[in-house]
Amino acid sequence: MNKIIRIAVDGPSGAGKSTIARKVAKKLGIEYVDTGAMYRAVAYKMTSEGIGPEEGERIEAVLKDTVIDFDQGVITVDGTEVESKIRTPEISEAASIYSALPPVRASLVQAQREIGHRKSVIMDGRDIGTNVFPDAQYKFYLTATAEERADRRYKELVERGQEVVYEEILEDIRQRDHNDMTRVLNPLRKAEDAIEVDSTHMSIDEVVDFIYDRVV
Ligand code: DC
């Protein structure tokens, strides 16, 4: 099959997009691109260089000199793997701030389009079906209630031995939903032609099969 296919998976934080997209990519033998990781990588680079979100010109200059890529599915910044560094609460918060900035979005959207022009991809994020690839052949909007998403996150963290408070996780999810849905530039919303999948009462494999069955 030589035809390039593009699958967009958008939705709020904690809906299971990356777990599901990764599994669908494996079943289809295509590339998975985690665009949230790219925004996290930018937030990581800016904060480690001490560049604040108000420093537009410095941000643009640094973006021009920064290479964000994936090496066998693992995110790299300037050739160095940063996976564990970008999955902290601090970077989650910073990513939601830096991802609203026009130069950051322009640079990452361009990089995402370049990847999707070269090969078949399943890309997850907030604005893939609405902005990055409005012409994607397949679009899914993956949701679950905020309570269910907080519950999943809570269980995941408890399993890792962390002490966490459910109400705080729920509040954090609500805050991130608000930031992502109300920002001026490319806010999170369902593309008109996206298939909505409410995973509140579905298992991971049920969602994977649902998407896979519509694509093959
Ligand atoms: O999916 P995530 O939590 O790793 O995303 C990190 C941040 O990046 C989150 O605040 C939303 C933002 N983001 C975005 O604005 N556009 C995307 N396509 C993907 C993520």
Side-chain angles (χ1 to χ4, degrees), residues 10-14 17 34-37 39-40 87 91-93 95-97 99-100 105 112 124-128 132 176 179-180 183 185-186:
D10 290 302
S13 298
K17 297 185 299 294
D34 176 352
T35 65
Y39 288 96
R40 286 170 181 271
R87 305 289 171 193
I91 295 297
S92 296
E93 204 185 322
S96 113
I97 296 168
S99 67
R105 297 209 74 82
Q112 290 154 13
D124 83 338
R126 306 294 191 284
D127 62 337
I128 310 304
V132 179
R176 286 224 263 156
N179 288 354
D180 289 347
R183 70 164 175 249
L185 211 52
N186 315 132

Side-chain angles (χ1 to χ4, degrees), residues 16-215:
K17 297 185 299 294
S18 57
T19 307
I20 284 153
R22 197 181 292 276
K23 286 192 163 213
V24 174
K26 203 166 177 196
K27 275 181 99 161
L28 290 170
I30 62 174
E31 190 90 6
Y32 162 56
V33 178
D34 176 352
T35 65
M38 298 170 81
Y39 288 96
R40 286 170 181 271
V42 166
Y44 169 70
K45 171 113 186 190
M46 298 302 161
T47 50
S48 46
E49 301 224 337
I51 302 174
E54 70 293 344
E55 297 184 79
E57 277 178 24
R58 282 184 80 195
I59 290 176
E60 270 187 67
V62 169
L63 282 170
K64 282 203 186 87
D65 274 348
T66 305
V67 181
I68 291 172
D69 207 348
F70 291 90
D71 180 11
Q72 293 170 10
V74 179
I75 184 98
T76 60
V77 176
D78 303 325
T80 304
E81 188 253 299
V82 292
E83 183 62 44
S84 62
K85 301 213 168 73
I86 62 166
R87 305 289 171 193
T88 66
E90 292 74 26
I91 295 297
S92 296
E93 204 185 322
S96 113
I97 296 168
Y98 287 88
S99 67
L101 305 175
V104 173
R105 297 209 74 82
S107 154
L108 292 189
V109 167
Q110 190 192 344
Q112 290 154 13
R113 287 186 180 141
E114 276 167 17
I115 299 173
H117 278 126
R118 288 200 302 269
K119 51 195 168 188
S120 291
V121 288
I122 178 164
M123 210 173 259
D124 83 338
R126 306 294 191 284
D127 62 337
I128 310 304
T130 53
N131 175 49
V132 179
F133 288 117
D135 59 348
Q137 294 95 325
Y138 305 98
K139 297 183 189 179
F140 297 92
Y141 189 80
L142 188 60
T143 61
T145 61
E147 289 76 12
E148 172 66 18
R149 288 182 280 134
D151 194 49
R152 290 176 191 168
R153 182 86 186 124
Y154 175 81
K155 287 181 180 142
E156 197 183 304
L157 293 171
V158 168
E159 244 170 58
R160 278 197 234 151
Q162 297 189 20
E163 261 186 49
V164 280
V165 179
Y166 172 81
E167 283 70 24
E168 282 177 14
I169 295 176
L170 180 59
E171 184 47 39
D172 183 55
I173 284 202
R174 290 204 168 116
Q175 184 61 50
R176 286 224 263 156
D177 284 358
H178 179 78
N179 288 354
D180 289 347
M181 289 173 179
T182 60
R183 70 164 175 249
V184 177
L185 211 52
N186 315 132
L188 168 63
R189 63 179 175 81
K190 177 185 164 300
E192 262 172 36
D193 51 350
I195 300 174
E196 183 160 346
V197 188
D198 182 345
S199 76
T200 306
H201 303 294
M202 290 171 86
S203 69
I204 289 169
D205 285 338
E206 280 171 338
V207 181
V208 170
D209 290 345
F210 179 91
I211 293 180
Y212 181 78
D213 289 347
R214 265 143 203 87
V215 174

